[in-house]
């Protein structure tokens, strides 16, 4: 019997964010066992907490979708940190956690109920080619001229991102998944009108191996988008992104540039705690 948690991330109310399943004390599990359990939970991601292999880290994390293992993902990072703390984890430095994962060491900080992580470096960034823009627009059922800008925003899951002129345009999208081709993950962002409770609307469309699906709230995508928009002065140095609106969720992601880093934060709600037989 191992400890088990399910945490709702980027929300302050259960069922309005993005859930992650967390298995504690997972050091004796094989990769195959982890992958099978992740398929069984059928959530966007399932994570496994392990002892770190480096003294600098507080814990090690492996992250699985229903079809593959990821080196890094945002909402599993925050949800797993919350689960680790709630299970009695004590970080080396109060108020700061160091997570070891496939992307290396990720720093998190705790500010009352909100956890934030420092966005990891992008594996691929920069503008897309004209052919890539054409393919991206076709997948989103848009004309290339409808896209204000597009960039690679890959920090592990393979994101390519498009900036649209408005949040309304983002929410109106009905992608053609048959046209996604080699795109593993497509993110779309657009500004809300001034005075709204969020500055941008974000949507994420993800290849799950056997199907494409829309992710409710996506930390890794928001991290990479902020690494693009803030330095380009397309977004302020601190802003709030809404995500999950079309899915009936109320995700809120807090993005801030500080101390030379992009910090990605959100509230987390521990929804389920118990044990699992694995």
């Amino acid at each position: 019997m191992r400890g088990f948690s399910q945490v709702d991330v980027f929300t302050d109310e259960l069922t309005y964010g993005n859930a992650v399943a967390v298995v504690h004390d997972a050091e004796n599990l094989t990769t195959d066992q982890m992958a099978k359990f992740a398929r069984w939970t059928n959530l966007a991601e399932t994570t496994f907490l392990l002892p770190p292999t480096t003294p600098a880290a507080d814990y090690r994390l492996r992250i699985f979708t229903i079809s593959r293992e990821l080196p890094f993902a945002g909402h599993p990072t925050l949800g797993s940190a919350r689960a680790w703390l709630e299970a009695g984890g004590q970080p080396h430095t109060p108020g700061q956690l160091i997570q070891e994962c496939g992307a290396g060491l990720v720093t998190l900080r705790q500010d009352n109920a909100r956890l934030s992580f420092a966005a990891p470096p992008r594996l691929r960034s920069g503008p897309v080619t004209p052919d890539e823009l054409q393919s991206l627009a076709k997948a989103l059922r848009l004309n290339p001229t409808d896209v204000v800008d597009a960039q690679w925003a890959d920090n592990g899951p393979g994101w390519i991102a498009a900036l649209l002129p408005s949040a309304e345009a983002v929410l109106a999208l009905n992608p053609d998944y048959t046209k996604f081709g080699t795109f593993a993950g497509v993110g779309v962002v657009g500004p809300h009108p001034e005075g709204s409770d969020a500055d941008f609307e974000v949507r994420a469309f993800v290849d799950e191996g056997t199907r494409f699906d829309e992710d409710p709230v996506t930390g890794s995508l928001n991290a990479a988008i902020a690494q693009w928009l803030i330095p380009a002065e397309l977004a302020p140095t601190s802003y709030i992104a809404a995500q999950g609106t079309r899915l009936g969720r109320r995700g809120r992601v807090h993005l801030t540039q500080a101390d030379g880093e992009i910090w990605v934060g959100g509230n987390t709600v521990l929804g389920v705690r118990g044990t699992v037989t694995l």
Side-chain angles (χ1 to χ4, degrees), residues 9-252:
V9 183
F10 294 122
T11 181
D12 57 5
E13 185 177 354
L14 190 66
T15 74
Y16 284 100
N18 197 1
V20 60
V22 184
V23 177
H24 300 251
D25 304 316
E27 57 266 31
N28 296 323
L29 293 177
T30 66
T31 296
D32 186 56
Q33 286 174 307
M34 293 179 185
K36 284 181 177 178
F37 187 69
R39 287 194 294 272
W40 180 79
T41 68
N42 204 34
L43 293 173
E45 279 97 9
T46 299
T47 67
F48 299 85
L49 287 164
L50 302 145
T53 63
T54 172
D58 293 298
Y59 58 86
R60 182 162 61 99
L61 194 70
R62 295 184 68 179
I63 305 166
F64 289 78
T65 72
I66 61 173
S67 62
R68 58 180 171 146
E69 183 172 4
L70 299 177
F72 171 78
H75 98 271
T77 290
L78 297 186
S80 301
R82 172 63 63 197
W84 184 80
L85 289 167
E86 293 287 344
Q90 295 292 325
H92 298 321
T93 303
Q96 176 180 287
L97 295 84
I98 304 295
Q99 170 184 290
E100 179 186 352
C101 61
L105 298 181
V106 177
T107 301
L108 296 97
R109 62 186 184 188
Q110 187 175 12
D111 181 15
N112 296 321
R114 187 174 299 158
L115 289 163
S116 304
F117 65 84
R122 287 166 292 176
L123 304 176
R124 185 179 184 184
S125 60
V128 304
T129 67
D131 286 346
E132 289 167 340
L133 176 60
Q134 185 75 31
S135 297
L136 179 61
K138 190 176 294 185
L140 295 172
R141 301 184 199 268
L142 297 173
N143 292 317
T145 54
D146 296 327
V147 180
V148 176
D149 199 0
Q151 293 264 329
W152 284 99
D154 180 16
N155 49 16
W159 297 113
I160 186 171
L163 174 64
L164 299 190
S166 68
E168 183 180 19
V170 172
L171 291 170
L173 288 174
N174 287 297
D176 182 353
Y177 291 132
T178 67
K179 304 295 186 184
F180 272 50
T182 59
F183 295 140
V186 173
V188 189
V189 58
H192 276 284
E194 189 173 346
S196 303
D197 72 338
D199 300 290
F200 289 89
E201 188 73 33
V202 170
R203 294 178 71 186
F205 308 104
V206 186
D207 183 358
E208 293 291 1
T210 58
R211 70 179 194 274
F212 269 87
D213 209 352
E214 181 167 357
D215 194 50
V217 203
T218 318
S220 63
L221 174 62
N222 275 283
I225 286 175
Q227 288 171 313
W228 162 30
L229 296 185
I230 292 176
E233 298 184 347
L234 296 170
T237 56
S238 182
Y239 70 87
I240 298 173
Q243 192 179 347
T245 307
R246 277 284 299 264
L247 301 176
R249 309 293 178 90
R250 199 169 57 232
R252 293 295 183 270

Side-chain angles (χ1 to χ4, degrees), residues 1-4 23 29 33 37 40 274-278:
M1 301 294 287
R2 304 172 195 271
F4 177 79
V23 177
L29 293 177
Q33 286 174 307
F37 187 69
W40 180 79
T275 56
V276 60
T277 303
L278 274 177

